[in-house]
Amino acid sequence: MRNIRLFWRLFSSYLWITVVALVFVAWSGSSVLRDFYLDQVARELENGAYLCRPEVASLLASDDLEAMDRLCKSLGKATQTRITVILPSGKVVGDTEEDPRRMDNHRDRPEVAEALAGGVGRVTRTSDTVREELLYVAVGLERHDAIPAVVRLAVPLTEVNRTLRSVRVHFLVVGALAAGFVAIVSLWVSRRISRPLEHLETGARRLAGGELDHRLDTSDIAEIAALADAMNQMAEQWADRVRTILRQQNEQAAMLSSMVEGVLAVDNAGTVITLNESCAALVGAEAAKVKGRKVHEVIRKPDLLRFVESALSSPSPVEGDLEIAGATSRWLHAYGTTLDDAEGRQLGALIVFHDVTQLRRLEMVRRDFVANVSHELRTPITSIKGFVETLLDGALDDKASATRFLEIIHRQANRLDAIIEDLLMLSRLEKAADEPAEPFSPDAVAEMLRAAVEMCQNRAAENRISIEVACEETLTVPMNAQLLEQAIVNLLDNAIKYSSPGATVRVEAAREADEVVIRVRDHGCGIESRYLPRLFERFYRVDRARSRELGGTGLGLAIVKHIILVHGGSVDVESTVGQGSTFTIHLPAAKLTNS
Ligand code: ADP
């Protein structure tokens, strides 16, 4: 259906109603006027006829028909009325316009018949004689028994019609003016009604377009004002609901994005509904760009996709461990469950991923550690057991061998002791690192270094190694002097062990920017760069046999690392094969209270 603007509908309706009403009023008015006018004329004619009656009666009584005709002609001319006298036989005996002898019998004329019947005959008709429309009024002469003649008066209606025409023209002009006036008024009224509605429409469109803060103008038309008010309230409620939904969405998004666990929601068709940042990082996708895409376009890991499919198809929750291969492999523990609506219909599936790589690594470290400890302990124990059995089997009788075997047993027992001592030390350090401790008080670095060098002096002398110390006396750093001394001893011990006799080992300490840096340099055998990353691991040794031969436990550098960690610092190594190694300890400025 074609839509017409309210303004045009109102305007055209008003106009139509006005025009129809005006036409109707003009038409009915002019016909009422005509009737009234004819009635007036007829009454005048009737009165005229009554006035003529005595003269006509006397002429009729004297039977002077010539005089009768003359009377009709003279009276008629004087009053501009056609006067006709008709006998009851229908014979015309006098007429203003015609010679009565040439006139038809008028007995059958309805007005004459009516007058003869005793009434007043009144008819409008086109005259056969004068060929124009006339109004006839006929009355009979008064007598007791029969009516002796009928006096008929007639006037042409030309004048009446002309008058009525001019009245109609007048009506038309006034009507047109009234219509014009009504058109202007209805234009104004239509505008007044339609304009607020148009504003309402524009406002409603803006609301529908999402401008929920827009408010509709009120109007002085009560219904439109009420409508605008209701729509404003509706918009307020919508805005409120949208704000609530947005807030909930933001909260949900914030929750999802701050979750450590990866969360992936897919619908039944495998389209991604939600994927949080953690999940995006795990699967190597961009969280903002994946919504609405198929899960297989987003995740290119077959194991993961299989898990998503099984979560979608299984009615009960599914669980599993997945390995995400890549530059650095990651292990995920996945938990998948169906996403159901309030009626219990499945909408899709929700999968939560926990990154258990660290746990796995720790588990591996723990396993390696247990294996390493067992291995490290078993070697001296096997050796001790073997020699004790040999002694018991009779070697005890051979004094020289017995002494040698007991010396070996003693050495292996010392080795066991050293390993256990180092393990206990590591365990204490780990505990210390886990527990928040009181900040260390500043201590003199030079003194601590001297104490460490002293501890190593004997061994250095045995290997003809000289140790140099370079440190300002005033340099201090917050430290546990005993622990830091142990770390320096371990480094010096290694430097001595892996240097050739006659070499020099140098220990330097200095303030560099916001750190106190302690370096232990040797010019020994050095370490190949490929071994450097694992050097600080427990029981890691470049040359296992040589380390053992030199009495190492493989825990020395691990202990150094943990001591420095307890101090909030870091340790690293630079080394060149054949030229020597430098171990550098950084103690952070943040930990410095004064220096
Ligand atoms: P170890 O008790 O065997 O010395 P560490 O943890 O102290 O154990 O050292 C681990 C390994 O690092 C050693 O086995 C050795 O191969 C290497 N290493 C440590 N310090 C040095 C050094 N100064 N020069 C060359 N190699 C070193």
Side-chain angles (χ1 to χ4, degrees):
M1 204 177 81
R2 210 169 67 101
N3 290 329
I4 302 170
R5 295 203 68 79
L6 178 70
F7 168 76
W8 288 116
R9 186 160 290 232
L10 284 174
F11 179 59
S12 59
S13 303
Y14 283 140
L15 215 59
W16 266 114
I17 290 166
T18 313
V19 167
V20 167
L22 281 173
V23 167
F24 178 74
V25 167
W27 175 77
S28 68
S30 78
S31 75
V32 165
L33 200 76
R34 181 189 155 91
D35 288 351
F36 175 76
Y37 197 59
L38 284 179
D39 223 37
Q40 268 314 102
V41 173
R43 204 157 295 169
E44 278 170 21
L45 289 180
E46 194 184 330
N47 290 340
Y50 287 137
L51 285 175
C52 292
R53 264 197 323 192
E55 195 97 7
V56 170
S58 77
L59 286 175
L60 201 63
S62 62
D63 205 18
D64 189 353
L65 296 179
E66 288 290 322
M68 180 83 81
D69 190 43
R70 274 200 305 278
L71 174 74
C72 288
K73 286 193 167 52
S74 63
L75 259 179
K77 292 254 164 62
T79 58
Q80 289 189 335
T81 308
R82 182 179 174 194
I83 303 169
T84 312
V85 179
I86 304 136
L87 294 180
S89 61
K91 184 176 185 268
V92 179
V93 288
D95 186 70
T96 308
E97 306 284 337
E98 277 291 329
D99 181 359
R101 284 171 300 220
R102 288 205 306 228
M103 287 173 74
D104 294 344
N105 187 300
H106 275 46
R107 194 182 161 79
D108 56 345
R109 301 288 195 272
E111 71 279 8
V112 176
E114 180 67 43
L116 285 173
V120 177
R122 179 179 151 181
V123 165
T124 307
R125 186 179 65 242
T126 305
S127 160
D128 292 340
T129 321
V130 294
R131 299 275 164 222
E132 65 180 316
E133 198 182 21
L134 296 174
L135 170 66
Y136 297 96
V137 173
V139 292
L141 293 191
E142 248 179 355
R143 234 184 48 196
H144 299 297
D145 43 2
I147 290 169
V150 169
V151 178
R152 190 183 76 174
L153 269 68
V155 284
L157 286 181
T158 330
E159 191 55 36
V160 177
N161 285 339
R162 194 179 304 128
T163 310
L164 280 173
R165 240 193 325 274
S166 81
V167 168
R168 277 194 197 120
V169 167
H170 186 74
F171 268 145
L172 207 70
V173 171
V174 171
L177 284 175
F181 175 72
V182 168
I184 291 167
V185 171
S186 61
L187 197 78
W188 180 76
V189 171
S190 306
R191 265 259 160 274
R192 235 174 84 72
I193 295 175
S194 68
R195 183 157 290 165
L197 278 171
E198 280 164 14
H199 283 167
L200 217 61
E201 184 208 349
T202 320
R205 279 190 196 285
R206 287 178 69 177
L207 288 178
E211 285 182 55
L212 293 182
D213 291 331
H214 177 71
R215 290 292 167 266
L216 305 179
D217 295 337
T218 190
S219 160
D220 54 356
I221 299 170
E223 288 83 353
I224 294 176
L227 186 63
D229 211 38
M231 286 177 79
N232 281 339
Q233 277 179 26
M234 203 164 71
E236 185 69 49
Q237 282 178 8
W238 278 356
D240 231 37
R241 253 176 233 178
V242 167
R243 272 195 291 273
T244 309
I245 291 169
L246 279 177
R247 202 191 57 241
Q248 284 172 349
Q249 261 182 4
N250 287 343
E251 283 169 5
Q252 214 177 37
M255 256 159 58
L256 277 175
S257 67
S258 60
M259 274 174 80
V260 179
E261 290 84 5
V263 178
L264 168 69
V266 289
D267 67 10
N268 287 330
T271 309
V272 176
I273 303 171
T274 306
L275 180 143
N276 72 350
E277 268 79 1
S278 299
C279 185
L282 286 173
V283 301
E286 240 183 281
K289 291 189 183 166
V290 297
K291 209 168 169 186
R293 286 174 62 193
K294 291 283 176 202
V295 69
H296 61 259
E297 294 169 11
V298 177
I299 299 174
R300 305 236 177 244
K301 322 277 179 193
D303 285 358
L304 242 149
L305 284 175
R306 265 195 294 279
F307 188 84
V308 173
E309 273 160 26
S310 69
L312 272 171
S313 57
S314 162
S316 51
V318 288
E319 224 175 321
D321 286 325
L322 310 166
E323 187 183 0
I324 307 278
T328 50
S329 285
R330 305 202 73 80
W331 280 93
L332 303 181
H333 180 75
Y335 184 88
T337 178
T338 54
L339 263 179
D340 300 332
D341 66 8
E343 274 87 45
R345 280 188 303 255
Q346 185 178 338
L347 301 174
L350 180 77
I351 297 114
V352 179
F353 300 106
H354 297 263
D355 188 351
V356 290
T357 314
Q358 193 62 17
L359 271 178
R360 283 245 169 185
R361 264 189 212 140
L362 284 174
E363 178 63 16
M364 262 154 64
V365 167
R366 192 190 63 80
R367 244 184 272 153
D368 286 356
F369 180 68
V370 171
N372 280 334
V373 169
S374 314
H375 181 76
E376 291 296 329
L377 293 179
R378 211 175 60 199
T379 316
I381 285 173
T382 312
S383 172
I384 291 169
K385 228 173 106 189
F387 285 108
V388 169
E389 277 166 9
T390 315
L391 285 172
L392 290 175
D393 282 350
L396 208 56
D397 300 334
D398 178 355
K399 191 139 188 305
S401 301
T403 310
R404 198 162 53 83
F405 290 166
L406 282 170
E407 273 170 6
I408 295 171
I409 290 170
H410 183 233
R411 221 172 29 245
Q412 293 299 348
N414 280 344
R415 190 169 147 68
L416 267 179
D417 185 46
I419 293 172
I420 287 164
E421 197 52 51
D422 280 357
L423 283 173
L424 286 173
M425 176 75 173
L426 268 175
S427 150
R428 274 197 300 275
L429 286 169
E430 272 175 353
K431 230 167 117 189
D434 287 346
E435 288 165 4
E438 289 285 305
F440 298 128
S441 51
D443 244 327
V445 178
E447 202 174 307
M448 179 274 295
L449 290 181
R450 270 198 297 276
V453 170
E454 198 154 322
M455 290 282 288
C456 301
Q457 213 54 269
N458 278 348
R459 189 148 192 188
E462 278 168 22
N463 290 282
R464 289 192 289 117
I465 306 258
S466 59
I467 305 173
E468 287 175 4
V469 181
C471 175
E472 273 183 30
E473 285 302 319
T474 52
L475 185 65
T476 60
V477 70
M479 63 167 134
N480 178 326
Q482 230 180 329
L483 284 181
L484 211 55
E485 185 187 315
Q486 177 67 58
I488 305 296
V489 166
N490 284 9
L491 292 178
L492 283 174
D493 194 44
N494 280 346
I496 295 163
K497 272 195 293 191
Y498 299 104
S499 292
S500 314
T504 304
V505 171
R506 187 176 164 82
V507 191
E508 317 159 345
R511 174 86 191 262
E512 283 181 21
D514 292 334
E515 293 177 335
V516 166
V517 179
I518 305 172
R519 290 191 177 83
V520 178
R521 285 181 206 279
D522 66 59
H523 302 283
C525 60
I527 309 155
E528 274 185 61
S529 59
R530 64 191 163 116
Y531 299 125
L532 295 179
R534 299 193 58 193
L535 214 60
F536 292 92
E537 285 177 20
R538 292 159 200 199
F539 295 116
Y540 187 79
R541 282 170 290 204
V542 176
D543 184 342
R544 202 167 273 270
R546 187 164 177 211
S547 158
R548 237 178 245 143
E549 187 193 311
L550 294 169
T553 60
L555 295 169
L557 288 181
I559 289 171
V560 171
K561 187 178 96 177
H562 279 86
I563 289 174
I564 303 307
L565 283 180
V566 167
H567 283 79
S570 64
V571 58
D572 54 57
V573 56
E574 287 166 51
S575 188
T576 314
V577 177
Q579 289 188 16
S581 316
T582 302
F583 287 81
T584 310
I585 292 169
H586 302 264
L587 296 172
K591 294 264 172 186
L592 302 180
T593 51
N594 59 6
S595 59

